[in-house]
Amino acid sequence: DIKGEVEFRDDRRTSVLPQFGGRARLGIQGKFDGAQQSLRLASVTTPSETFAVKGEATGFLARPQWSTELELKDAPLAGVYGSARQIGVAIPDKMAVAGIVAGTVSASSTKPLDGELTVRGVSITPQGASAITTDSATVKISGNTIALKPVTVEIADKEGKQTASIEGSVNVGAVSEADAKISTRGLGLATMQKLELTGVPVLGKIPVGTIRGVLRFHHAL
């Protein structure tokens, strides 16, 4: 039987663990079986914990295999957002985010990163812009690809209440790239600029007006 505690430290100025002050401790328990060449570990969590981790490894001397799973249980979106930026996901940094995340992400020696997360009560506020809100959004993770399933968002500013359907994906592999699709019955170009969508050809140069219809674009990061 195995029981103990693991401490994670990140002493860089831009820590991957900002919500923990660069340091986090995790209780663990599990079992090691030398005859069966297996090791199984799981985090020790309380009902108030927002995440749980488990993993196993087998076949140390013959054919090593491993698997691991992370479960988020109504974790703060702000913490997940900050950590994602630190590990290289190309998302804007000048945003205030709020909401909670739930779901699981797994990986193994035979299967790449895989999982699905649901974000509820989402509010994203770019610097100098009004909040973008939606009740729920779903993110699918598969290998190096993080994909946002179609979701309707609402933006309320001086141009009035605006809605748009957004879907997209980001590839965070060796060659990073992003795809996005926006469908709207009326979205102000000034609002698009505040949302840092000025990389869209032509539209990024037009400060006044309204876009109506479907816009799809690809961007190499």
Side-chain angles (χ1 to χ4, degrees), residues 146-193:
I146 303 173
L148 172 67
K149 293 186 176 181
V151 58
T152 298
V153 300
E154 183 176 289
I155 307 164
D157 58 17
K158 63 182 180 181
E159 297 182 21
K161 183 181 294 185
Q162 305 171 68
T163 60
S165 174
I166 299 176
E167 60 183 292
S169 63
V170 177
N171 188 308
V172 293
V175 179
S176 298
E177 54 188 0
D179 282 287
K181 179 181 178 182
I182 301 174
S183 304
T184 178
R185 294 183 178 180
L187 184 62
L189 292 175
T191 297
M192 289 187 63
Q193 288 190 330

Side-chain angles (χ1 to χ4, degrees), residues 32-40 57-62:
F32 173 73
D33 189 326
Q36 297 296 321
Q37 299 179 44
S38 68
L39 171 66
R40 292 175 172 82
T58 59
F60 310 130
L61 303 178

